[in-house]
């Protein structure tokens, strides 16, 4: 059996990287590409004006987990249209090495933005705002429909931010025996689905610098970010619940992070922003305040809404 | 005989001394949250507070800066084991307070 046989058509791509699990209906999701044929099929069917966001990842590369979340969140803010205006595709860089070579992928995570067969821009690393800015530059601002109907953005299971890793890092390469063997980077034993990758008491706590980098990326993960106790569909605190309600009433689209699921972020953010309580609302990476400030300030809403470009979308109800 | 509300006393004193407010209202909402899961195991009756502070120490400061000022003052009470769990703040300058009183009810 040839150790480096190309993926057969019936073999699914690595399931661990499925980033499209919880996107609201009617919005874009990140589609996993498992074969060369699938890739050509998808890209040749897209109109020349459609922006294709191609994301190269490797299951063994830790930073890719963060990029998965960033991309699926970003994808869910774009309405799925016919004909499509934007498409998000995820490719295992090592399994589909011919495609990687074509795009000159030497590091992962790697995102290539393409229109009409031409690569417009590429981004390496896990800088969420860089990716978002690039996508918005070429595809315009997101315009997914009424937040009340679609519900809230998917949960952001964000892990430690890190620079991208070289593709052929020998120390991290899983053994290839013809099938997708991901045993080298299986999730830690007993790691529940919603548990953070890192929490206080972990064997390898992030250094202060790493934590700050991670936090500064997190607060920019969406134009409006809410750090709350629980999730919008299940808030674990009255103040967090009220904040969610307020944001929904005002039609503000936002990303959220459940600080109860990650003690490192919970404590780290208090110090990072010099703010001892939650919920915390950030706009463009800056702390605006908690429930009191957000509910008491009438000038805040136009700014928040403008940030997420809601006026026209709510009027028209783009689907 | 020591006070039943040591936390509140300390906070009132600190705010009064540092911010010289023209108005300071302190509401203890702890009883409303005593049954919440987060409060399991807590015996303190001084966990949730609402402060309405009017002071010109807030002049020319944006809301986040005002709140940070108050948080800084009360950081010992907030950091203490079994200390303050939640704090709601309304921070107004004298002028803002006067304006608010002439308007119909605002949140």
């Amino acid at each position: 059996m040839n150790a480096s046989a190309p993926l057969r058509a019936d073999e699914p791509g690595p399931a661990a990287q499925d980033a499209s699990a919880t996107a609201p209906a009617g919005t874009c999701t990140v589609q996993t590409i498992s074969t060369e044929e699938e890739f050509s099929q998808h890209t040749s069917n897209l109109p020349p004006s459609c922006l294709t966001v191609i994301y190269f990842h490797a299951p063994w590369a830790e930073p890719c987990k963060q990029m998965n979340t960033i991309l699926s969140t970003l994808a869910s803010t774009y309405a799925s249209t016919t004909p499509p205006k934007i498409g998000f595709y995820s490719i295992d860089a090592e399994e589909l090495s011919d495609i990687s070579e074509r795009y000159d992928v030497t590091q992962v995570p790697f995102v290539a933005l393409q229109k009409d067969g031409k690569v417009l821009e590429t981004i390496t690393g896990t800088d969420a705002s860089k990716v978002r800015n690039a996508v918005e530059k070429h595809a315009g601002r997101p315009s997914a429909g009424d937040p009340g109907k679609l519900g809230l953005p998917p949960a952001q299971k964000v892990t430690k931010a890190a620079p991208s890793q070289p593709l052929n890092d020998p120390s991290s390469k899983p053994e290839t025996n013809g099938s997708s063997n991901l045993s080298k980077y299986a999730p830690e034993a007993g790691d529940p689905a919603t548990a953070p990758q890192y929490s206080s008491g972990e064997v390898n706590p992030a250094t202060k610098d790493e934590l700050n980098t991670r936090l500064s990326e997190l607060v920019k993960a969406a134009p409006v970010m809410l750090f709350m106790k629980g999730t919008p569909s299940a808030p674990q605190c009255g103040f967090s619940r009220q904040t969610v309600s307020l944001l929904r009433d005002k039609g503000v689209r936002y990303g959220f992070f459940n600080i109860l699921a990650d003690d490192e972020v919970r404590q780290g953010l208090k110090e990072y922003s010099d703010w001892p309580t939650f919920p915390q609302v950030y706009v463009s990476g800056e702390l605006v305040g908690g429930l009191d400030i957000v509910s008491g300030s009438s000038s805040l809403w136009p700014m928040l809404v403008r940030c997420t470009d809601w006026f026209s979308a709510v009027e028209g109800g783009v689907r | 005989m020591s006070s039943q509300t040591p936390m509140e006393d300390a906070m009132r004193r600190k705010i009064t001394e540092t911010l010289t407010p023209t108005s300071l209202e302190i509401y203890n909402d702890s009883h409303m949250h005593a049954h919440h899961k987060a409060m399991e195991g807590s015996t303190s009756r001084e966990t949730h507070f609402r402060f309405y502070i009017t002071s010109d120490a807030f002049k020319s400061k944006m809301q986040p800066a005002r709140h940070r000022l108050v948080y800084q003052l009360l950081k010992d009470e907030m950091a203490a084991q079994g200390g303050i769990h939640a704090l709601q703040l309304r921070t107004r300058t004298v002028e803002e307070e006067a304006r608010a009183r002439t308007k119909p009810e605002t949140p």
Side-chain angles (χ1 to χ4, degrees):
Chain A
M1 181 138 182
N2 188 349
S4 56
L7 221 45
R8 297 196 310 270
D10 52 80
E11 220 176 290
Q17 300 301 328
D18 181 7
S20 58
T22 53
T27 59
C28 291
T29 56
V30 182
Q31 297 177 60
T32 309
I33 301 277
S34 14
T35 65
E36 276 265 5
E37 293 90 60
E38 222 184 304
F39 184 67
S40 334
Q41 204 177 44
H42 277 280
T43 49
S44 58
N45 281 340
L46 296 170
S49 58
C50 174
L51 178 69
T52 317
V53 182
I54 309 166
Y55 160 52
F56 293 86
H57 63 85
W60 47 261
E62 275 297 304
C64 289
K65 293 196 189 138
Q66 178 146 346
M67 185 49 84
N68 285 346
T69 311
I70 292 171
L71 275 181
S72 59
T73 308
L74 187 58
S76 71
T77 64
Y78 284 88
S80 163
T81 57
T82 315
K85 296 230 274 297
I86 186 167
F88 292 81
Y89 301 97
S90 154
I91 293 183
D92 182 321
E94 291 190 312
E95 289 198 346
L96 301 184
S97 52
D98 283 341
I99 307 184
S100 312
E101 217 163 298
R102 231 183 291 155
Y103 285 87
D104 204 12
V105 179
T106 48
Q107 289 195 312
V108 283
F110 181 98
V111 177
L113 273 70
Q114 169 175 307
K115 236 189 220 185
D116 197 14
K118 282 211 291 289
V119 174
L120 305 170
E121 203 171 327
T122 63
I123 305 133
T124 46
T126 55
D127 188 336
S129 40
K130 244 200 211 157
V131 176
R132 196 176 351 107
N133 288 339
V135 171
E136 284 182 6
K137 181 161 74 183
H138 299 289
R141 296 287 220 97
S143 58
D146 177 6
K149 296 243 172 61
L150 289 182
L152 297 142
Q156 302 207 340
K157 295 187 198 95
V158 187
T159 57
K160 190 166 115 165
S164 52
Q165 287 174 249
L167 193 53
N168 293 315
D169 187 357
S171 59
S172 315
K173 213 173 171 100
E175 0 153 27
T176 39
N177 58 3
S179 62
S180 310
N181 186 347
L182 305 173
S183 56
K184 280 251 154 78
Y185 277 82
E188 273 133 31
D191 203 11
T194 53
Q197 190 71 10
Y198 302 93
S199 58
S200 59
E202 266 275 331
V203 177
N204 275 330
T207 62
K208 208 45 182 272
D209 272 341
E210 288 170 334
L211 178 57
N212 277 336
T213 309
R214 182 184 173 202
L215 293 176
S216 68
E217 286 299 308
L218 256 185
V219 302
K220 288 184 288 185
V224 179
M225 268 303 282
L226 170 65
F227 290 83
M228 61 179 289
K229 293 188 176 180
T231 61
S233 45
Q236 299 290 303
C237 148
F239 301 141
S240 287
R241 191 185 331 116
Q242 286 179 63
T243 309
V244 165
S245 203
L246 210 46
L247 288 169
R248 183 173 44 231
D249 288 345
K250 300 283 181 178
V252 175
R253 176 144 279 246
Y254 61 96
F256 73 89
F257 188 95
N258 179 2
I259 52 120
L260 293 180
D262 190 330
D263 206 55
E264 190 178 76
V265 171
R266 182 179 181 175
Q267 303 309 331
L269 217 44
K270 286 185 188 174
E271 215 185 296
Y272 179 87
S273 298
D274 194 16
W275 197 267
T277 52
F278 289 99
Q280 292 184 6
V281 177
Y282 290 77
V283 173
S284 304
E286 301 260 333
L287 174 65
V288 152
L291 175 60
D292 299 328
I293 292 177
V294 155
S295 61
S297 169
S298 53
S299 56
L300 197 60
W301 297 111
M303 182 214 349
L304 282 184
V305 175
R306 221 181 304 128
C307 253
T308 54
D309 219 5
W310 265 112
F311 287 118
S312 51
V314 172
E315 299 277 285
V318 178
R319 290 247 152 241
Chain B
M1 157 114 169
S2 59
S3 164
Q4 296 275 35
T5 57
M7 287 276 181
E8 191 178 315
D9 296 346
M11 297 195 292
R12 186 184 296 274
R13 193 183 55 243
K14 286 182 183 175
I15 294 183
T16 309
E17 275 172 14
T18 314
L19 301 179
T20 52
T22 54
S23 158
L24 172 59
E25 289 165 42
I26 302 185
Y27 300 92
N28 185 335
D29 293 334
S30 310
H31 57 283
M32 302 202 294
H33 300 266
H35 57 286
H36 287 178
K37 193 148 195 246
M39 294 289 97
E40 226 165 71
S42 163
T43 49
S44 168
R45 287 197 223 170
E46 296 196 287
T47 57
H48 291 66
F49 284 92
R50 239 180 318 147
F51 282 66
Y52 293 170
I53 313 171
T54 305
S55 160
D56 274 345
F58 296 139
K59 247 193 184 153
S60 75
K61 285 194 166 71
M62 301 278 289
Q63 290 292 349
R66 299 181 189 188
H67 287 211
R68 281 203 181 93
L69 188 51
V70 178
Y71 287 146
Q72 261 300 100
L73 280 183
L74 307 180
K75 73 172 187 274
D76 291 338
E77 284 75 23
M78 298 192 74
Q81 197 63 277
I84 309 296
H85 180 81
L87 201 50
Q88 279 185 274
L89 299 177
R90 195 178 74 192
T91 48
R92 288 176 175 164
T93 60
V94 176
E95 192 195 331
E96 286 165 1
E97 183 67 33
R99 244 186 296 147
R101 289 190 191 251
T102 58
K103 271 199 206 153
E105 258 290 302
T106 38

